[in-house]
Every structure is written in C-alpha cells, then in structure tokens.
Amino acid sequence: MRSSTHDLLDGPRFRVLCLALVSDLDAAVQHAVQAVDAAADQDFALPEAVGVPADVVAGLASAVAAVDLADVRGWRDPLRFLPALGATVDSSMPWQPPIVGAEAITAFPVVRSALAPVAEAVLSAPATTWWATDLDLDAQWVARPVRDGEVEPVGSGGGVAATVARWRRNHEDDEARGAADRAVPVHRTASGAWWSTPLAYGDAGAARFISSTRRVGSLGAGALELVEDGFGDDEVVLQRVSADREPRVWEVHSAEDWARLVSTYPKPARWARRGAWWPSTGLEADWLVPDLEALAVDVDAVHVSVQGYLAAAGRALEVDGGATVLAGWAPDETSWFTDDVTVSPVEERWVRGGDGPSGWTRAS
C-alpha cells in the first residue's frame, strides 16, 4: 500500500530524494542549494541548529516550487529515479548530524512545503509503483563484492542458529562495553556500531545474515548501487536467492512497520548505540534494536521496501520502552533468518565503468 505524501515527507531520506531529483532537473535549484551551503554556519547540523538567513531558505523554496514536474509524473522506467535514490542513500550517515544542504534544510517548514508537489509527482509516476510492493520472491539476488581479488562470503556461514548466537554475543558485548562508559557525557562517547541491520562484529566472529535485493529493470540488483556507507566497490558477483518454501515475511513499508517490529522483538541497545545515534537525532534515549534471536523463531525474512526505507530511515522512532533508528538498511533489502533458502551456484559478474545503469554492466 502506498503511504501518503505527508507520511513520507516525515522521512528525511524521502525529502532528500525529492530535493536531489529537482536539483538534477533544474539548475536554479542547484544554485539555491549552493547558496544554502555558502550561507550555512556549519556543514553538518541538526535542523534546529542550522543557521541560514531566511531569505536564502525562501530562495530555495521558491526555486523548488518553480520546477516543472509534468514529465516526472509520466516516467515509467524504474531506473529513471536511480540517481535520486542513490543520492539519498549516499547522504545517509546515521552516525553524525545531517548534511545541511542535502538534508537538514529539507526539514525547514517552507522547504518541506515546497517539496510536497515533488513528492506527489514522484509517487504518481508509474516508475515508482514497485517501491511499495512486497518481497518479490522471483527476483532476489545476493551481492558479493570483490575486494582485493577475493569474493566476499555469503553470510557468515554455519547456519542461522550459529549466526544468531554470534549476533547475540557480539551485541551484548557491545552493550556491556558501552555501559562501562555510562558516566562519560554523551557528546564525548565514541560512535561504535551505528546500524540496526542483522550484523554484529566481535570476538565470536562476524554475524552476518544473508541479504538480497531484487533485479530492477536492466540493473542486476539494487545492492549494486544502493548501499549505505558503501566501500565504493567496482566489481560484484551476483547469485540468485530462492526460498525453499513459502517464507514468513515481515514487511516494512512505513515507519510504523519498523517501530512495530522493534516493539514486538525488542533488544536493549541504549549503551551500544548511545554514541552513534545521539549526533544524528539529538536524543539520549533507551535505544532498542530488533532481537534477532526472538524474531528468527517467528519470521523467515524482513523486507524493507523502497517506500519503507524512505519513510523510516535515519530518524528516531518511538517504540514501546524507548526509541529506535532504521540504519544501514538498503532500499528493497531483504534479510533472511531461515536455512530454507538456496543460493544458486551460478554467478553473474558485474563491473562498474560500463554503459549500463549508473555505469554497471554485466561482465560474465
């Protein structure tokens, strides 16, 4: 189900997408964003701490409001929005304050209001219909970057039970280390782990669950291009992922869906995430992340749709007993918590630097 433009505009990542889109369409918006950057008293800040003259903010809003959106409403190719999607993923940094010109400025009421027609045009385009769809079981691909000549592994191996056990130990170790510094003022704490994805590093070994994204048009998989805090990989191996039975899927199509997931399967992370999420939210909260050990009993996969990512990512969300942040997920990413999936041995090798979407081309 499509979320309303109002609900989506509550999400900083969706507002960034809208601003990136009109910046690409109209040089006047680009110049207005540059004027914001030049006038801002800092490069990174929470919206309430940004100092930009009112006339500069008004100039940006006026430039956005003047953009002709007629063509956007008719876009049909799902890859037409890939540059804007890439911009919002690339600028997502949940461990630090928002970039003023790319994100924080979009929270100003006059700018947000100007972005509303952009949001409506984006959501009316046939090219974005798939953003609100459930997990596509027939088009899932795991992406394995090639780094230093080695292909990264699929998950951490040993099956879901072993991965869950590693995740629990690593997370609880992070929480204990953070709690040892509870007397340190929050602004002086180290960042540490900043994500809420099924990933945890530690002495028990990395806990990494299989994740996949769908094939989008001629792009082999969304994960080729849409990765928060990516490594700039230019060679990736894709393999098809299929479910061996009908999976139980928790769909995240809204901020409320993510908050309900965390409220249903809560894991305390106040100390583990204290230093990471305070700069980006301004809050020192009783942070919570999904308890993957409990979740894996009831759920085989969590799918964060493009719409769910744009609505929820990068902001503090109230949940039962505290707050949470959806961080580190990619648009349309699915994480698997079952051994009843098959990763095909057939590999597709994709390289950046060709003539394909965003420069990605299938090499073999």
Side-chain angles (χ1 to χ4, degrees), residues 106-233:
T106 67
F108 281 44
V110 66
V111 178
R112 174 178 165 142
S113 179
L115 289 172
V118 184
E120 292 169 359
V122 169
L123 295 181
S124 66
T128 64
T129 301
W130 71 279
W131 287 8
T133 58
D134 288 349
L135 168 65
D136 185 349
L137 287 171
D138 296 324
Q140 293 300 301
W141 296 79
V142 63
R144 304 174 62 194
V146 180
R147 297 171 184 160
D148 297 326
E150 298 291 331
V151 182
E152 293 290 296
V154 177
S156 42
V160 167
T163 305
V164 164
R166 285 195 296 272
W167 176 86
R168 183 189 67 248
R169 291 195 298 269
N170 292 341
H171 175 79
E172 292 176 351
D173 286 347
D174 282 346
E175 183 73 353
R177 280 192 294 269
D181 291 333
R182 68 179 70 199
V184 178
V186 65
H187 65 278
R188 296 181 58 188
T189 55
S191 177
W194 54 269
W195 49 87
S196 54
T197 56
L199 171 65
Y201 296 106
D203 294 338
R208 185 191 302 272
F209 295 79
I210 294 174
S211 70
S212 59
T213 53
R214 81 180 72 190
R215 178 153 288 176
V216 183
S218 58
L219 184 67
L224 288 174
E225 188 64 20
L226 306 173
V227 181
E228 283 195 356
D229 195 31
F231 287 83
D233 298 305

Side-chain angles (χ1 to χ4, degrees), residues 28-40 51-53 55-57 59-60 101:
V29 179
Q30 293 181 25
H31 295 153
V33 170
Q34 291 167 1
V36 168
D37 288 333
V52 178
D55 63 322
V56 175
V57 178
L60 173 59

